[in-house]
């Protein structure tokens, strides 16, 4: 199948009110001329981004205030996105983490994370794939997972599980859809400088200067390229790819122990400062 061409086509981006999703939306509008349906809970942030991109890039932007932890909002997002328009691509980027010893985390927070990271993604893929096939324009979907889905991350045990789910789910769908005119690609970033790290105090330990932490705009370009080129799975950044190779050379128990020790320190730093 040819590479994707986003110009003047409609692309859905979830989690576009901050971080990676906001940079993906900016890159798609400014450099690819894509029209956007941007989704998140914070409507004022979405509207601000829509004004910015409509003025700078001359594209059309629809804001969809959506809480992806609510099943009815997930259905509504699909309805709004496809209402009178043909969606060409979908970037399922929204995600949250729960940081800490699993036994100390609140069940409600864990349920919310499962609903956003796993349930909403499964449902939206199930809804958008038939829409994209019917549109017949060789569209695509990008799932935003994490390296935490490839290498277990203690103190983010359940998050790591949700991201592992996305990697297996995405890779299975890539194969299932091979005979169709639609691709599902899986994007697997390491650390990114976003609010997700700030919210949980992780940025106190994993500083901006850390070569393992990518700038959100750099990561966003790689995400869009992975979708455009219909990659099976893509890990952005040479540092991340090398660290994964090294992790693969060690027994998994040892690499998990090294990562666990680092996150244990991060947890202590987050609690004490
Ligand atoms: N930052 C990292 O180090 C890192 C590393 C690997 C993978 N990732 C993945 O990258 C993706 C983007 O994260 P980020 O780093 O850009 O974090 P972020 O800056 O915190 O952005 C998260 C986005 O998800 C949205 N979101 C959160 N809860 C939501 C809900 N209930 N309903 C709808 N949208 C919701 C947020 O919007 P509202 O709050 O306005 O709803 C926000 O736009 C996530 O899937 C994350 O797991 C991040």
């Amino acid at each position: 199948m040819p590479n994707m061409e986003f110009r003047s086509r409609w692309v859905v981006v979830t989690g576009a009110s901050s971080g990676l999703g906001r940079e993906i939306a900016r890159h798609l509008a400014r450099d690819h001329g894509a029209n956007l349906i941007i989704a998140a809970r914070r409507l004022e942030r979405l509207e601000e981004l829509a004004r910015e991109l409509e003025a700078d890039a001359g594209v059309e932007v629809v804001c969809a205030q959506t809480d992806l932890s609510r099943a009815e909002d997930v259905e509504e997002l699909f309805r709004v996105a496809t209402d009178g328009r043909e969606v060409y691509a979908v970037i399922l980027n929204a995600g949250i983490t729960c940081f800490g010893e699993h036994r100390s985390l609140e069940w409600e927070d864990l349920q919310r994370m499962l609903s956003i990271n796993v349930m909403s993604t499964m449902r939206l893929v199930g809804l958008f794939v038939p829409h994209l096939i019917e549109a017949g324009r060789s569209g695509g979907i990008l799932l935003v997972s994490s390296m935490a889905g490839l290498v277990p991350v203690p103190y983010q045990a359940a998050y790591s599980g949700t991201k592992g789910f996305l990697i297996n789910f995405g890779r299975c769908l890539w194969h299932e859809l091979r005979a169709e005119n639609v691709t599902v690609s899986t994007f697997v970033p390491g650390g990114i400088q976003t609010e997700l790290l700030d919210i949980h105090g992780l940025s106190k330990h994993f500083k901006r200067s850390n070569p393992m932490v990518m700038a959100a705009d750099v990561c966003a370009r790689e995400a869009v390229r992975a979708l455009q080129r219909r990659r099976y799975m893509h890990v952005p950044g040479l540092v991340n790819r090398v660290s994964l190779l090294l992790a693969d050379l060690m027994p998994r128990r040892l690499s998990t122990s090294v990562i666990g020790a680092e996150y244990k320190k991060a947890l202590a730093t987050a609690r004490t400062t």
Side-chain angles (χ1 to χ4, degrees):
M1 247 192 283
N3 284 350
M4 296 183 74
E5 167 54 72
F6 302 110
R7 191 157 301 279
S8 302
R9 289 179 169 163
W10 286 98
V11 182
V12 177
V13 183
T14 68
S17 63
S18 74
L20 181 62
R22 184 165 55 192
E23 294 309 316
I24 287 173
R26 283 184 172 140
H27 179 49
L28 277 168
R30 289 187 181 144
D31 301 316
H32 293 273
N35 295 322
L36 299 172
I37 298 131
I38 51 176
R41 290 166 305 172
R42 288 170 289 182
L43 184 60
E44 65 294 346
R45 285 218 189 174
L46 295 179
E47 287 173 343
E48 195 183 319
L49 180 63
R51 282 192 295 275
E52 173 194 316
L53 298 181
E54 281 167 351
D56 286 5
V59 298
E60 287 181 68
V61 184
V62 173
C63 299
Q65 186 173 32
T66 309
D67 182 344
L68 290 172
S69 69
R70 293 162 50 95
E72 56 273 34
D73 279 28
V74 175
E75 307 290 322
E76 180 65 5
L77 173 59
F78 175 73
R79 198 197 60 72
V80 168
T82 54
D83 186 17
R85 42 183 106 72
E86 198 175 79
V87 170
Y88 174 64
V90 184
I91 299 183
L92 297 175
N93 159 76
I96 61 169
T97 188
C98 291
F99 180 44
E101 289 124 350
H102 184 73
R103 64 179 183 276
S104 68
L105 298 172
E106 296 294 332
W107 175 233
E108 290 70 24
D109 293 338
L110 290 163
Q111 277 182 311
R112 190 175 312 111
M113 181 176 69
L114 271 177
S115 303
I116 298 165
N117 296 10
V118 174
M119 302 291 278
S120 79
T121 305
M122 259 201 301
R123 182 60 180 146
L124 288 170
V125 168
L127 290 167
F128 276 110
V129 163
H131 174 86
L132 295 175
I133 290 174
E134 198 177 323
R137 288 182 185 266
S138 305
I141 298 178
L142 185 77
L143 308 184
V144 176
S145 177
S146 163
M147 278 169 59
L150 286 175
V151 183
V153 177
Y155 306 99
Q156 289 194 98
Y159 172 76
S160 194
T162 66
K163 293 298 176 174
F165 170 91
L166 290 183
I167 290 171
N168 281 340
F169 180 61
R171 293 195 294 193
C172 288
L173 285 173
W174 194 91
H175 286 281
E176 277 187 32
L177 293 167
R178 277 188 94 162
E180 304 290 347
N181 58 355
V182 169
T183 38
V184 172
S185 301
T186 308
F187 187 62
V188 186
I192 319 165
Q193 288 163 16
T194 67
E195 288 173 18
L196 185 127
L197 293 188
D198 297 336
I199 293 166
H200 298 277
L202 277 159
S203 53
K204 291 176 187 155
H205 184 76
F206 298 104
K207 302 267 186 299
R208 280 171 182 270
S209 53
N210 186 330
M212 299 286 293
V213 181
M214 282 182 97
D217 59 335
V218 175
C219 196
R221 284 177 183 275
E222 288 217 33
V224 172
R225 202 176 311 125
L227 171 66
Q228 187 178 28
R229 296 186 181 174
R230 305 179 186 280
R231 298 289 296 267
Y232 175 58
M233 187 178 91
H234 181 66
V235 177
L238 186 61
V239 175
N240 288 334
R241 290 194 287 275
V242 170
S243 69
L244 273 180
L245 277 177
L246 292 176
D248 278 346
L249 292 175
M250 292 186 210
R252 186 45 45 99
R253 192 167 142 187
L254 180 60
S255 58
T256 306
S257 167
V258 171
I259 292 165
E262 204 55 40
Y263 275 83
K264 193 173 185 180
K265 279 189 231 158
L267 188 59
T269 312
R271 280 177 179 160
T272 53
T273 48

